[in-house]
Amino acid sequence: MTFLRQPTRAGVRDAAAKLAAILPATPLFTCDLKGVTVAFKAESLQPIGAFKIRGAWHRLTALDDAARGRGVVAFSSGNHAQGIAWAARKLGIAATIVMPHDAPPVKRDATLALGAEVVGYDRATESREQIAARLAEARGATLVPSFDDPWIIEGQGSAGIEAAAQMARAGLPAPTLVVVPCGGGGLAAGLALALPDARITVVEPEGWDDMRRSLEASWIEPVDPNPPPTACDSLQTQRVSALTFDVLSRRDAQGVAVSESETAAAQRWAAERLRLVIEPGGAVALAALLAGRVAPEPGMLVLLSGGNVDPAAYARVLAG
Amino acid sequence: MTFLRQPTRAGVRDAAAKLAAILPATPLFTCDLKGVTVAFKAESLQPIGAFKIRGAWHRLTALDDAARGRGVVAFSSGNHAQGIAWAARKLGIAATIVMPHDAPPVKRDATLALGAEVVGYDRATESREQIAARLAEARGATLVPSFDDPWIIEGQGSAGIEAAAQMARAGLPAPTLVVVPCGGGGLAAGLALALPDARITVVEPEGWDDMRRSLEASWIEPVDPNPPPTACDSLQTQRVSALTFDVLSRRDAQGVAVSESETAAAQRWAAERLRLVIEPGGAVALAALLAGRVAPEPGMLVLLSGGNVDPAAYARVLAG
């Protein structure tokens, strides 16, 4: 499926208005770090526990009645799945989600509870893209990618419109630096469009920092064939897309990588200091800040992008 | 110290206006339980991680300049301490907190970080009331009780004004039943004043359910001399006060008790379903709902009153 359409700032603003009509803004918290007030946007507190609800709503509401009647298909390890399932249920659209057998049970169960059909696949031997494409073709359904889609990017960017308004109300400077977790780059690209005057730093787990390497190389580099294990299930993207890369590259976005222990420390800090449950992939931007890989500055906005944890694994992280 | 003044609904509304001028409303979340939409007020997301910031702000802002200059003294195992310290710092008032040596380190450290002086005492052999009263007398400072005070009760009640407005905006019915954790009863009494048309159910840990027994007996009964251990450090109050008891008794408030395992299960549910870190004492109202001790009904409002946990103990709870 080819999209000629490019994501735009006008599209982000449209998405923000659509989201504001159905959901309250996620809370913005502030903390003083080394004498600097840093803002944290808690996307973990969305009804599905992640920002993915934004892009899903913007995309599905853009479908015409005929397309809605044929349903949607998505592939996702979890949070995008829940976003699509949530939006589809609210709009009365049938949703089919292609999800790896080893997806966190909490995410699979939540997707089923939202009324979606879940089709499993083996992450090691099967291609979720092919399975999803075949399903979509057989049913005439619309395939909804998790990041390689202009509506999805615009929808995720609505978090930036919200955050800027909240920072202004809190008497903080306009966002100067956005630090954001990056899988495929949909949230980061959306924020870049939403906040044209801010610098963008994307954060990935070590060994999965293909966006960082791509931005440095000025072309898209995939993840190495045998990446290290990571707890960040929501950031395990093999390759970013031209759409997200182009937006971030044109904005001279920077990339940093964080270690697994830095991510775990950030999850503990979020629990203790912000009283928020943050999943590993949702905590990497905070980890970059706390580990000193990004320096705090006035106008800094850090995205806490999701909070869907496996309880046992999360308990081990908190126990340190 | 005797207060002739009674807490009033007008005082609660005044407190709500004062709070709205300095802090955003804490988020209200909804969940469907047995087909009924229940509202959860996340006071754990206050800057100090608990509702106590409300009463503290309402009380300290009511002091005149001379009283502010002489400082304030409070006794608290933690959350009230942080509330007083937070409000005192913001107003430039010196705060001294009498706190048991076995208070959770996270709460003591947070109080110190807010600039208060902490005076320790032995929970088993010393009377915090006497220590605090002596300190206040010696310094001419104002003693600020954690619940036996009309301003404190009114301040805590501001959460009810906020929640009712949020429920209306979310298209929910006006609050019909408020389920609220109870230590000394300050929050419960404040909510009763804030929401004159709602029924009130207070929830306490088993063996510490002196408000429940007092309401049934129609006079104040203290906790038994050897109460069982409880993880709910913020609800270990030996005796409720005439001020809080009278408000709740006149409203025919009901009391229920929950077990330690029901409280732990509620903490796990809050982490997994709401992505919120809730402390044991903050989770008892949710525990009563999940354990079936209170039936869900439309217009139900459940207070999640605090989120200051000891990380190691919290990790054990999540591990189940």
Side-chain angles (χ1 to χ4, degrees):
Chain A
M1 186 173 277
T2 307
F3 291 101
L4 295 175
R5 183 173 167 257
Q6 293 292 311
T8 65
R9 182 157 194 243
V12 174
R13 298 195 71 90
D14 177 40
K18 281 156 65 174
L19 267 301
I22 59 155
L23 286 172
T26 52
L28 186 92
F29 300 102
T30 59
C31 258
D32 286 345
L33 290 170
K34 300 181 183 169
V36 177
T37 301
V38 176
F40 299 95
K41 181 75 169 158
E43 288 295 293
S44 58
L45 297 177
Q46 290 284 12
I48 61 150
F51 69 94
K52 296 281 190 178
I53 203 168
R54 297 178 179 276
W57 185 251
H58 186 50
R59 179 69 192 99
L60 266 55
T61 50
L63 296 175
D64 62 26
D65 285 349
R68 292 186 189 195
R70 291 191 300 270
V72 293
V73 174
F75 46 87
S76 163
S77 67
N79 287 335
H80 176 58
Q82 287 187 61
I84 294 293
W86 188 92
R89 186 172 68 169
K90 202 167 170 76
L91 294 167
I93 297 175
T96 306
I97 310 292
V98 179
M99 192 179 278
H101 293 306
D102 65 347
V106 60
K107 294 186 179 179
R108 192 181 56 238
D109 293 349
T111 306
L112 288 167
L114 287 165
E117 180 189 352
V118 171
V119 174
Y121 79 99
D122 185 322
R123 210 194 272 262
T125 61
E126 297 182 274
S127 158
R128 61 183 188 174
E129 287 83 354
Q130 284 176 11
I131 294 171
R134 267 202 303 272
L135 277 170
E137 195 173 45
R139 301 176 181 190
T142 301
L143 185 64
V144 184
S146 61
F147 58 88
D148 188 21
D149 179 302
W151 285 278
I152 294 292
I153 292 169
E154 289 170 350
Q156 320 301 30
S158 65
I161 305 287
E162 255 181 46
Q166 290 170 308
M167 289 172 74
R169 275 200 298 278
L172 297 173
T176 56
L177 173 61
V178 179
V179 189
V180 53
C182 181
L187 178 59
L191 292 169
L193 292 169
L195 303 168
D197 298 324
R199 284 147 34 238
I200 309 290
T201 294
V202 303
V203 186
E204 296 162 300
E206 281 176 1
W208 293 83
D209 49 341
D210 54 311
M211 182 67 93
R212 180 190 66 73
R213 289 191 289 108
S214 300
L215 290 167
E216 287 182 5
S218 295
W219 60 72
I220 294 176
E221 294 196 350
V223 169
D224 280 341
N226 292 301
T230 175
C232 301
D233 59 275
S234 52
L235 303 182
Q236 290 180 25
T237 309
Q238 297 293 335
R239 185 187 180 86
V240 304
S241 82
L243 276 182
T244 56
F245 174 75
D246 285 353
V247 169
L248 293 168
S249 183
R250 274 199 295 267
R251 283 288 291 281
D252 290 323
Q254 305 291 306
V256 302
V258 293
S259 71
E260 295 296 296
S261 65
E262 287 166 350
T263 298
Q267 289 182 278
R268 284 191 292 274
W269 190 93
E272 203 170 320
R273 293 286 295 274
L274 300 176
R275 297 96 189 174
L276 294 175
V277 175
I278 305 295
E279 62 184 272
V284 294
L286 175 62
L289 173 63
L290 297 179
R293 297 181 184 278
V294 181
E297 66 175 59
M300 187 174 197
L301 171 64
V302 176
L303 274 288
L304 303 171
S305 51
N308 290 315
V309 294
D310 170 69
Y314 184 61
R316 284 192 297 274
V317 165
L318 292 187
Chain B
M1 187 174 277
T2 307
F3 291 101
L4 295 175
R5 181 171 169 259
Q6 292 293 310
T8 64
R9 182 156 194 244
V12 174
R13 298 194 72 90
D14 178 39
K18 281 156 64 173
L19 265 301
I22 59 154
L23 286 172
T26 52
L28 186 92
F29 300 102
T30 59
C31 258
D32 287 345
L33 290 171
K34 300 181 183 172
V36 177
T37 301
V38 176
F40 300 94
K41 181 75 168 159
E43 287 296 294
S44 57
L45 296 177
Q46 290 285 13
I48 60 150
F51 69 94
K52 296 280 190 177
I53 202 168
R54 297 177 178 276
W57 184 250
H58 186 50
R59 179 68 192 100
L60 266 55
T61 50
L63 296 175
D64 63 25
D65 284 349
R68 292 185 190 196
R70 291 191 300 270
V72 294
V73 174
F75 46 87
S76 163
S77 67
N79 287 335
H80 176 58
Q82 287 186 63
I84 294 294
W86 188 92
R89 186 172 67 168
K90 203 169 170 75
L91 294 166
I93 296 174
T96 306
I97 310 293
V98 180
M99 193 180 279
H101 292 304
D102 65 346
V106 60
K107 295 186 179 179
R108 192 181 56 237
D109 294 349
T111 306
L112 288 168
L114 286 165
E117 179 189 354
V118 171
V119 175
Y121 79 99
D122 185 323
R123 208 193 274 264
T125 61
E126 297 182 274
S127 158
R128 61 183 190 177
E129 287 83 355
Q130 284 176 13
I131 294 172
R134 267 202 304 271
L135 277 171
E137 194 173 44
R139 302 177 182 190
T142 301
L143 185 64
V144 184
S146 61
F147 58 87
D148 189 23
D149 179 299
W151 285 278
I152 294 292
I153 292 169
E154 289 169 350
Q156 321 300 31
S158 64
I161 305 287
E162 255 181 46
Q166 290 170 307
M167 289 173 74
R169 274 200 299 279
L172 297 172
T176 56
L177 173 61
V178 179
V179 188
V180 52
C182 181
L187 178 59
L191 292 169
L193 292 170
L195 303 168
D197 298 324
R199 286 151 30 242
I200 308 290
T201 294
V202 302
V203 186
E204 296 162 301
E206 281 176 0
W208 293 84
D209 48 342
D210 54 311
M211 181 67 94
R212 180 190 67 74
R213 288 192 288 108
S214 300
L215 290 168
E216 287 181 5
S218 294
W219 60 72
I220 293 177
E221 295 196 351
V223 169
D224 280 341
N226 291 303
T230 175
C232 301
D233 59 274
S234 51
L235 303 182
Q236 291 180 25
T237 308
Q238 298 292 336
R239 185 187 181 87
V240 304
S241 82
L243 276 182
T244 56
F245 174 75
D246 285 353
V247 169
L248 293 168
S249 183
R250 274 199 294 268
R251 283 290 291 281
D252 289 323
Q254 306 290 306
V256 302
V258 293
S259 70
E260 295 295 297
S261 66
E262 287 166 350
T263 298
Q267 289 182 279
R268 284 192 292 275
W269 191 93
E272 203 170 319
R273 292 286 296 274
L274 301 175
R275 296 97 189 174
L276 294 176
V277 175
I278 305 295
E279 63 183 272
V284 295
L286 174 62
L289 173 63
L290 297 178
R293 297 182 183 277
V294 180
E297 66 174 59
M300 186 173 196
L301 171 64
V302 176
L303 273 289
L304 303 171
S305 52
N308 290 315
V309 294
D310 170 70
Y314 184 61
R316 284 193 296 273
V317 165
L318 291 187

